Amino acid sequence: VALGVSGDGHGAVGLLAGCESWFSVIGGTLPAPALKITRAALSGDADAALATSELLRPVWDLMAEHGSLRVTAAIAEYLGLVEAPSLPRPIRGLGGADAARVAETVDRLGFAVQGA
């Protein structure tokens, strides 16, 4: 039995509190910041883990509003990692203004669009 944390916005805090794993939805799509959070937390560098997590606050806020799966799918679509629509029916992806907010957040945080 292992104790883990789910909910990407809580990953750093959970790992720092002693969780053995972080069940992340964003880790496969944005591996660099997820790995940075994990390595910092597991090495006991709470300041770095929490600061990196806080940089992703706009993503965590979008996930709280729209669900982590839908936001992660929108990020992957925007980055060109998958073709839209990427979610299986009956799950509906983000569109319109919500997808535009995700794209703006990705750009503001400096994540590169594939092929750009």
Side-chain angles (χ1 to χ4, degrees), residues 3-76:
L3 182 61
V5 62
S6 182
D8 284 70
H10 305 291
V13 172
L15 291 172
L16 289 167
C19 290
E20 298 169 346
S21 57
W22 171 20
F23 303 101
S24 172
V25 70
I26 203 76
T29 303
L30 301 174
L35 187 57
K36 187 173 180 179
I37 291 167
T38 302
R39 285 184 173 155
L42 294 180
S43 72
D45 189 348
D47 290 339
L50 295 171
T52 303
S53 183
E54 192 56 34
L55 288 175
L56 293 171
R57 171 69 44 212
V59 175
W60 307 154
D61 291 344
L62 286 167
M63 288 179 169
E65 185 176 346
H66 299 289
S68 58
L69 177 64
R70 296 173 75 212
V71 170
T72 301
I75 292 170

Side-chain angles (χ1 to χ4, degrees), residues 86-102:
S86 63
L87 294 173
R89 290 180 176 232
I91 303 170
R92 298 179 77 179
L94 298 179
D98 294 328
R101 281 180 54 214
V102 170

